[in-house]
Amino acid sequence: MEYGLIGEHLPHSFSPEIHKRIGDYKYEIKELEPEELESFIKAKDFKGINVTIPYKQAVIPYLDEIDETAKEIGAVNTIVNRSGKLFGYNTDFGGLKALFERAGIFVSGKRAIILGNGGTSKTAEAVLKNLGAQTVLKTDLFPSKNVITNDEAVLSHSDAEILVNTTPCGMFPKLSGMAADPADFQKAEGVIDVVYNPLKTDFIQRAQSLGIPAKGGLYMLVMQAILAAERFFDE
């Protein structure tokens, strides 16, 4: 593999089609079991790769250098091999920020809830703070500092104005279900789902049926791919 995407389950990915439109290079998909990740990264048999669920944090110990954005977020989704040294980046940040701008969802001064507490949630938190969110909370089964349960989000934070889903809930092939119901947040005025397959998840459709501006993750995927290609080829 010269360029491609690694992850655990990738039948839903649009990345090869997107990269085919970006430039003249072969971009492949490689599914890895958790026990295969270390040997793959250490072999360094690639020029540039993207990293998706569940390895955005797991790859970090194997990298020689990490750029400041990825370091602050604590998640890497792009790795470039330069003469045997591995450099890590987070192009999801730029992709998600562009999605908010594309959707016309204004975050400054707003209360935001991120559904999920994985690698992508870290990127979402960084983007929301960069865009000036007043408060940012995340949800998980196991609460901790700044992390609450879904039930607590509904009971105590139903005044949240921005909702961002970073879980795989509703993603192909398990299309049904939502990580939370936008109807439970009476002041919601913007909904983002990082899931891009299907183009409109139940979460997005539900928000739109309530008249809430909502966008799925395809634009984020395309923009982060363009930013990744810029890293791959230094242009």
Side-chain angles (χ1 to χ4, degrees), residues 40-49 59-67 78-89:
F40 175 84
I41 298 294
K42 284 185 173 180
K44 302 180 182 180
D45 191 21
F46 57 83
K47 292 181 179 179
I49 56 172
V59 298
I60 291 176
Y62 306 110
L63 306 180
D64 296 292
E65 291 190 30
I66 304 173
D67 88 328
T78 300
I79 301 173
V80 180
N81 183 353
R82 297 191 179 102
S83 302
K85 292 190 72 174
L86 300 182
F87 294 77
Y89 304 94

Side-chain angles (χ1 to χ4, degrees), residues 98-105 191-192 213-215:
L99 175 57
F100 271 100
E101 293 167 352
R102 172 87 167 186
I105 294 174
V191 168
I192 291 288
K215 285 286 185 182

Side-chain angles (χ1 to χ4, degrees), residues 20 34 36-37 40 42 47 57 61 69 79 101 111 115 125-126 130 165 189 193 203 229-231:
K20 186 176 181 180
E36 297 176 308
L37 179 67
F40 175 84
K42 284 185 173 180
K47 292 181 179 179
Q57 295 165 275
T69 300
I79 301 173
E101 293 167 352
R111 296 175 293 273
L115 305 171
E125 182 177 13
N130 179 267
N165 177 49
E189 55 185 67
D193 196 336
F203 185 59
E230 290 177 357
R231 295 296 190 181

Side-chain angles (χ1 to χ4, degrees), residues 130-191:
N130 179 267
L131 292 173
Q134 178 184 322
T135 59
V136 180
L137 295 172
K138 295 190 280 187
T139 69
D140 198 355
L141 292 174
F142 307 101
S144 59
K145 184 180 179 182
N146 292 331
V147 179
I148 58 177
T149 64
N150 275 21
D151 288 343
E152 187 181 349
V154 173
L155 290 172
S156 303
H157 301 279
S158 61
D159 60 347
E161 296 145 302
I162 307 295
L163 302 176
V164 183
N165 177 49
T166 65
T167 76
C169 190
M171 185 171 70
F172 179 88
K174 298 179 181 179
L175 302 180
S176 61
M178 300 181 289
D181 188 342
D184 291 330
F185 300 87
Q186 296 84 4
K187 294 188 177 182
E189 55 185 67
V191 168

